[in-house]
Amino acid sequence: DAGVTQSPTHLIKTRGQQVTLRCSPKSGHDTVSWYQQALGQGPQFIFQYYEEEERQRGNFPDRFSGHQFPNYSSELNVNALLLGDSALYLCASSDTGTAIRAFFGQGTRLTVV
Amino acid sequence: GESVGLHLPTLSVQEGDNSIINCAYSNSASDYFIWYKQESGKGPQFIIDIRSNMDKRQGQRVTVLLNKTVKHLSLQIAATQPGDSAVYFCAEASGFKTIFGAGTRLFVKA
């Protein structure tokens, strides 16, 4: 079992650009949540996808959007990148339809220059 | 607003001793309280959770205590080992949303 896999592992983008991050959930999981983790801080909830729909959203602007595919994999898109978007982006999957006992991927380190 | 905070940013313990990591929360409506461990370069790893209607739950070498009166959560690690060195996050789940605290870094001295 490969667990939660995220790609790419590292990414450097220029301010104003757009980025897409990808996540494959743990086998058997149907719920994917995305988090942003700034250096030295705890993960901040961005949104959760279940049955291909965004079910709940944290305090993030509309520049952050996502998608879930029929195979439960997910993408996180960020438009008009700001320097402050530099962070570790974590994907978590769960099979309970909530976010409890979620399995996290290793994250994508995004650097905006 | 919603917040999950921690009492101590760092904790240093001797190998073999017990560790206690504390956390304060503010949202009384949370359904579950969860502890995660994050090692350097890795994503958070689930340790243990406790439902809001419980006050204690035990796992392998870990115990979580929930005091709803003072909105306090703690993680006890028995016989702390070098492999326990990491950042520990408390989190609260309400609905489909999980709110993380800032983390406590645990150092285990050999």
Side-chain angles (χ1 to χ4, degrees):
Chain A
D1 183 1
V4 179
T5 58
Q6 293 187 243
S7 63
T9 54
H10 294 83
L11 199 55
I12 300 175
K13 288 287 190 178
T14 302
R15 188 172 46 184
Q17 285 188 315
Q18 179 265 344
V19 68
T20 297
L21 311 181
R22 295 176 176 82
C23 171
S24 292
K26 180 178 170 63
S27 178
H29 285 184
D30 58 8
T31 303
V32 173
S33 301
W34 286 92
Y35 295 82
Q36 180 193 68
Q37 186 175 25
L39 199 62
Q41 297 184 17
Q44 298 294 307
F45 177 79
I46 302 175
F47 42 52
Q48 183 186 89
Y49 276 84
Y50 174 69
E51 293 188 343
E52 301 179 49
E53 291 191 357
E54 181 184 297
R55 186 157 64 170
Q56 188 159 7
R57 189 179 185 92
N59 296 324
F60 280 81
D62 292 344
R63 298 187 298 108
F64 290 76
S65 63
H67 188 78
Q68 186 179 35
F69 299 94
N71 66 353
Y72 308 122
S73 67
S74 178
E75 289 181 348
L76 165 66
N77 300 292
V78 187
N79 295 323
L81 284 166
L82 303 174
L83 297 179
D85 295 331
S86 295
L88 181 68
Y89 288 85
L90 294 161
C91 170
S93 73
S94 54
D95 64 355
T96 58
T98 65
I100 300 167
R101 302 186 184 182
F103 284 75
F104 281 80
Q106 291 197 337
T108 294
R109 173 70 63 187
L110 172 65
T111 302
V112 182
V113 298
Chain B
E2 299 169 325
S3 67
V4 177
L6 293 169
H7 292 181
L8 297 172
T10 61
L11 178 64
S12 184
V13 299
Q14 197 70 37
E15 181 180 357
D17 288 350
N18 296 335
S19 302
I20 300 176
I21 302 172
N22 296 304
C23 175
Y25 65 90
S26 61
N27 185 4
S28 300
S30 295
D31 302 312
Y32 279 86
F33 298 88
I34 312 158
W35 283 99
Y36 285 94
K37 171 187 179 182
Q38 187 172 25
E39 297 174 281
S40 181
K42 297 184 178 180
Q45 176 187 0
F46 171 85
I47 301 172
I48 190 169
D49 60 11
I50 185 168
R51 196 163 183 168
S52 59
N53 62 355
M54 300 171 64
D55 52 22
K56 181 179 180 179
R57 187 156 187 246
Q58 288 185 292
Q60 186 176 10
R61 279 201 310 119
V62 295
T63 300
V64 57
L65 299 177
L66 175 63
N67 185 331
K68 293 181 285 294
T69 302
V70 295
K71 297 183 180 178
H72 183 268
L73 185 71
S74 68
L75 176 70
Q76 300 178 3
I77 304 173
T80 311
Q81 302 169 0
D84 294 327
S85 293
V87 176
Y88 288 81
F89 293 99
C90 65
E92 52 183 309
S94 181
F96 309 122
K97 183 176 181 178
T98 300
I99 303 165
F100 282 77
T104 292
R105 182 173 294 280
L106 176 64
F107 292 100
V108 182
K109 297 177 288 185

